[in-house]
Amino acid sequence: MKLFELTTSLMSIPSTSGEEEAVGFWLRDHLQSLGWKVELQPVDEGRTGASASRQNNVIAWLNDTPRVWFSTHMDTVPPFIEPSEDEEKIYGRGSCDAKGIIAAQITAAEELRSEGVEDIGLLYTVEEERSSTGARAANDHPLSAKCEYLINGEPTDNDLGIGSKGTFRLKIKTTGKAAHSAYPEQGDSAIEKLLDILEDVRHTKFPHDDFFGETTVNIGTIEGGAALNVIPPTAEAGLAIRLTTPRAPIEEALRSVVRARGQIEVLSCSEPVRMLAVDSFAQKVVRFTTDIPYLTNWGQPLLLGPGSILVAHTKDEFVLKKDLEHAVRLYVDLAKRLLATNVHE
Ligand SMILES: [Zn+2]
């Protein structure tokens, strides 16, 4: 199957996070038909109910000790958008994030194989777009021990991502005292407290890192209050902070802003990571998070993929066909370069 057909075939199977079973089966069958050894690694332990679809990572290899692995995720954000194409582009959900990448990696792997290079593996995870549960499960897989380089794919415009910011997700919660809105002195507004805290957060200077750049804060959600005529007893805001330093100093700065006015509830955190730089590849730091922080047993990470993160997750998601083709060349070159070096030197 050719590159573009492989991309649209993968895209035509809906696989919103949590619903990756069908695309995993399709990938297994496709890779087996090409002669790969394929394992489906279950990652849905603890999920119950007849309607819960099974989730499996797809792990494929040729010889038993592959040193270089390609990886990305099979899930997409909602909603499903059917694939379509013209001369120049493939449109629809997953075109750039990340089914076009899966297609480019498989095409590259097959090309390497046709040249006699069999020291390669393929790892396709579930749930990257939610909490990387697939990657966490994959980290314990025995084949990880043999892996020296993991080429992870996300839309980097075909530049080598040499660093990615971390993500610190948290809630700030305030409490007050309900009262009739005509008698505000009887109550204590949780929303006004929250607004004061958020105003201070907006004016807080978080650290700048010379390599990773600015720490940025998105106040993504605000909830609170009971009714227009009630002094609000509770309020909360959800924040996503793109980390350029370890979490600890940022959390400390935040706690000194919030003080006793509210509580901080930590939802999740991934620290910023540095990836391997390789001469002659265009390089940059990316601001988004990947599976890489959870694949620590899979050797030295690298990040490269066709398409733009700016159209990923949008209704206008697309990938340029020439970028998919270019990615195949880059993946082949990168794998050869890595296989020619000895990580233990
Ligand atoms: Zn992605």
Side-chain angles (χ1 to χ4, degrees), residues 303-331:
L303 181 66
L304 175 79
S308 166
I309 196 68
L310 300 180
V311 297
H313 300 198
T314 72
K315 66 177 183 13
D316 302 318
E317 184 173 345
F318 72 88
V319 67
L320 286 169
K321 289 179 168 177
K322 72 171 172 46
D323 285 358
L324 282 177
E325 286 170 328
H326 187 48
V328 173
R329 299 259 40 86
L330 292 170
Y331 283 138

Side-chain angles (χ1 to χ4, degrees), residues 16-76:
T16 306
S17 305
E19 306 293 333
E20 303 93 334
E21 187 182 42
V23 76
F25 286 166
W26 191 92
L27 259 180
R28 175 198 57 193
D29 295 346
H30 179 65
L31 290 168
Q32 277 177 343
S33 78
L34 295 172
W36 290 72
K37 293 175 214 168
V38 186
E39 180 185 322
L40 293 182
Q41 182 193 31
V43 292
D44 57 351
E45 266 102 14
R47 286 183 127 227
T48 50
S51 62
S53 101
R54 293 194 62 80
Q55 288 179 286
N56 302 292
N57 291 330
V58 175
I59 300 175
W61 64 98
L62 295 167
N63 71 28
D64 288 332
T65 56
R67 293 169 56 209
V68 170
W69 286 70
F70 293 109
S71 81
T72 186
H73 55 92
M74 296 181 287
D75 61 318
T76 70

